[in-house]
Amino acid sequence: MPTVSLGSPGSSDGITVNYEDRGSGDPLVLVHGHPFDHTMWRPQLEYFSTTHRVLAPDLRGYGKTTVTKGKTLLETFALDLAALLDHLGAERFFLGGLSMGGQIVMECLRRFPHRIRGVVLADTSPVADGPEARRFRTETAERLLREGMGPYAEEVLRKMVAPGDANVDEHVLGMMRATPPEGAAAALRGRAERPDYVETLRECGVPALIVVGSEDEFTPISDAELIHGLMPGSRLVVVEGAAHMPNLERPAEFNRALAEFLA
């Protein structure tokens, strides 16, 4: 898999980004959530690379991309992404993200909406954390540094994916266990300080597909309905029987919705 060393505009340090680049045609960029890596998009990389150029990076601190300790703001992730897409010559693109990845997509909408042809916002929320949620993210960051990723992965598996597919369970557990605790902790601290994206979504004006699993406890259907209401003309798809990762749990339904959107 290719890697590239980048000095992100506005970022004080350079990183080496691991990414997948498959197919040709209009670019479709997919941003993974926490605490995963680009392989969470495996069903979409395989399906859409026959019609699009599909780009899926490991974010800073995840997968095989450079880990930076301390705190990683969503702004930093967005600048990393812009630098990677500049390097790859992808000036305009469709941009999709799940959970934290969806919030990174919202930050990209805030910073460079002119480059984005359409967005996919899956199992995510535009609302900034309140004091209790910020405290929980900070405490979780400290826990990951103290315990490692294993206990956390076991604890949240059933919230990430609904029961029923042992292969999906194994994939999700593998991604979570392999995530560097320092990278995951830095992202949690940064996410606790993210801005509210409600006005960004209300004003952006790009085509949007909103997807959510019917059983998602982290970002329930009400969060997806909020986004849908903020973005006139958007399409909302509820994937029945899926939890927080419908793209992996129900790839046929997810891919069908995304294919209709891209068409």
Side-chain angles (χ1 to χ4, degrees):
M1 285 191 51
T3 61
V4 61
S5 296
L6 298 173
S8 302
S11 177
S12 61
D13 56 342
I15 62 168
T16 298
V17 177
N18 181 68
Y19 64 96
E20 192 139 3
D21 183 351
R22 286 205 211 175
S24 61
D26 292 334
L28 168 63
V29 183
L30 299 173
V31 187
H32 68 77
H34 161 91
F36 307 121
D37 58 44
H38 82 278
T39 67
M40 68 157 278
W41 297 111
R42 188 178 293 155
Q44 289 68 51
L45 281 157
E46 294 173 356
Y47 186 88
F48 289 99
S49 60
T50 61
T51 57
H52 289 74
R53 182 187 185 189
V54 188
L55 301 166
D58 286 339
L59 296 171
R60 177 189 296 248
Y62 295 87
K64 297 179 181 178
T65 291
T66 301
V67 175
T68 52
K69 300 178 181 180
K71 179 167 57 183
T72 306
L73 299 172
L74 295 191
E75 169 187 350
T76 303
F77 287 127
L79 292 171
D80 289 344
L81 195 58
L84 175 64
L85 295 173
D86 286 346
H87 172 80
L88 297 174
E91 178 57 33
R92 298 195 74 231
F93 40 82
F94 295 97
L95 182 60
L98 181 141
S99 193
M100 180 181 75
Q103 292 165 343
I104 294 168
V105 169
M106 297 178 214
E107 179 65 23
C108 292
L109 279 172
R110 192 168 76 92
R111 292 186 164 271
F112 42 88
H114 58 285
R115 299 186 64 174
I116 300 171
R117 298 181 60 186
V119 295
V120 182
L121 297 169
D123 299 79
T124 191
S125 171
V127 180
D129 278 349
E132 184 176 342
R134 287 197 295 270
R135 183 169 57 252
F136 179 76
R137 288 199 200 277
T138 301
E139 291 172 354
T140 303
E142 295 306 314
R143 175 191 173 187
L144 297 183
L145 293 174
R146 186 173 62 249
E147 299 179 1
M149 297 299 296
Y152 174 82
E154 295 285 347
E155 181 179 302
V156 301
L157 175 64
R158 283 284 72 94
K159 290 185 178 181
M160 294 295 186
V161 293
D165 191 325
N167 291 327
V168 170
D169 287 357
E170 183 179 358
H171 183 187
V172 172
L173 277 172
M175 287 190 292
M176 291 194 287
R177 289 168 174 160
T179 293
E182 296 86 356
L188 283 168
R189 293 190 191 104
R191 225 169 140 197
E193 298 182 14
R194 73 182 185 277
D196 190 287
Y197 293 112
V198 166
E199 289 305 314
T200 297
L201 296 185
R202 184 176 280 130
E203 296 171 2
C204 76
V206 304
L209 171 67
I210 299 105
V211 184
V212 65
S214 65
E215 309 307 309
D216 192 345
E217 295 182 36
F218 287 122
T219 49
I221 292 174
S222 58
D223 287 345
E225 290 172 338
L226 170 62
I227 297 172
H228 182 46
L230 292 169
M231 306 183 80
S234 61
R235 182 185 177 204
L236 172 60
V237 174
V238 178
V239 180
E240 294 298 331
H244 194 54
M245 304 183 73
N247 71 298
L248 271 178
E249 300 171 82
R250 302 287 189 274
E253 291 94 324
F254 187 95
N255 289 350
R256 182 165 56 249
L258 180 50
E260 291 172 359
F261 174 70
L262 294 173

